[in-house]
Amino acid sequence: MSETGDMGLVVVGAAGRMGQTLIRAIHSIPGARVAGAVERPGSPHLGKDAGELAGIGTINVPIADDPLPAFAKADGVLDFTAPGASVEFAGYAAQARIVHVIGTTGCSADDDAKITAAARHATIVKSGNMSLGVNLLAVLVEQAARALDVQDFDIEILEMHHRHKVDAPSGTALLLGEAAAKGREIALNDNSVRVRDGHTGVRKPGTIGFASLRGGSVVGEHSVILAGTGERITLAHQAEDRAIFARGAVKAALWGRGKKPGLYSMRDVLGLG
């Protein structure tokens, strides 16, 4: 590892859809190179060239099942896997003193606590969404929530994703919910409504509602609806290609190189803090 030259990045979950997208993104962005590719033990893709699998040709990086040697010779890791795996990788990244970019969603409070602990020794960038557009949207949602009176405007967050997504609400919906809650100076956990079914009674003022739709191949659609009496404001984002998340993750890794250990967000990376 060195502070000069291209930044060597490891992709974990390298054979998955997002993993292959990350490999293509690294290959296309100046200043970054694929230094390692990791998959779970027993994966049918072990030993294959990561570049060939991702459709960019041979890059002489075979897919392996042991992250430790890969982390030891890298400058950063890009991680869109599962909560348990991301916690484990955060520990390894802390030991190796490399940048860990986490796009994994669905983390529990306990998972987040472990990642925060790892960030005492590792530079971690974690976000429910790595795209510029969504992080800009979050800033606008926070401003709107602050500007509109809580008694006059209700906030609802609607998201739709492909049929294979396993967590709900999406990490992006929660990121937007946190932005709305911050604008209103309230705690999201104490004021969110995740499910409505049966006789719910009237809507409680000040709550932030979530609705999750799943189907087809939708990459990601999010709308934040601020509904008042006689008027409604909708702030929305449509993701048309998951490459936007991959490019954001590479940008986050390049930004994090040389930064002090700590837990950062994409707002930090994009200067939208």
Side-chain angles (χ1 to χ4, degrees):
M1 296 193 299
S2 70
E3 290 299 313
T4 59
D6 287 349
M7 187 175 187
L9 299 174
V10 177
V11 176
V12 290
R17 285 180 305 170
M18 194 61 205
Q20 292 181 46
T21 305
L22 287 165
I23 289 165
R24 290 191 292 271
I26 295 168
H27 192 67
S28 70
I29 293 175
R33 63 180 173 83
V34 181
V38 176
E39 258 299 337
R40 65 189 183 282
S43 167
H45 301 288
L46 294 178
K48 293 180 181 176
D49 186 272
E52 287 185 2
L53 189 64
I56 57 172
T58 303
I59 59 172
N60 297 313
V61 177
I63 297 174
D65 61 3
D66 186 354
L68 294 179
F71 283 31
K73 62 182 181 182
D75 302 301
V77 55
L78 305 185
D79 174 7
F80 287 69
T81 56
S86 290
V87 168
E88 192 176 334
F89 293 139
Y92 297 153
Q95 290 172 31
R97 297 289 199 272
I98 60 177
V99 180
H100 186 191
V101 178
I102 305 176
T104 303
T105 60
C107 291
S108 67
D110 184 54
D111 296 327
D112 283 333
K114 290 174 180 174
I115 289 169
T116 299
R120 289 200 292 266
H121 304 288
T123 303
I124 297 178
V125 181
K126 184 176 187 293
S127 178
N129 192 296
M130 295 282 169
S131 85
L132 169 61
V134 159
N135 284 280
L136 178 57
L137 176 63
V139 173
L140 299 175
V141 167
E142 182 182 331
Q143 291 175 343
R146 184 177 293 117
L148 300 173
D149 190 272
V150 65
Q151 297 299 321
D152 296 334
F153 282 84
D154 301 315
I155 299 177
E156 294 286 308
I157 299 172
L158 175 66
E159 55 101 345
M160 183 168 186
H161 283 82
H162 52 87
R163 62 169 66 97
H164 301 289
K165 187 165 179 62
V166 297
D167 56 305
S170 69
T172 303
L174 294 172
L175 180 151
L176 296 170
E178 289 287 0
K182 185 178 179 184
R184 288 195 161 169
E185 299 182 351
I186 58 174
L188 181 63
N189 285 347
D190 300 332
N191 294 279
S192 70
V193 177
R194 304 291 185 85
V195 179
R196 293 191 181 104
D197 187 34
H199 186 78
T200 60
V202 299
R203 192 185 194 285
K204 183 181 175 184
T207 54
I208 297 172
F210 291 84
S212 298
L213 311 180
R214 295 288 177 268
S217 59
V218 178
V219 174
E221 295 187 2
H222 294 85
S223 299
V224 179
I225 302 161
L226 302 105
T229 302
E231 61 180 336
R232 191 167 69 242
I233 301 161
T234 302
L235 300 170
H237 180 270
Q238 287 84 34
E240 297 169 358
D241 185 344
R242 57 175 46 84
I244 63 173
F245 312 130
R247 288 194 297 269
V250 177
K251 183 170 185 173
L254 292 168
W255 176 89
R257 192 180 195 183
K259 291 281 190 302
K260 291 179 181 179
L263 184 60
Y264 302 93
S265 74
M266 280 303 287
R267 282 209 198 184
D268 298 314
V269 175
L270 297 168
L272 296 171

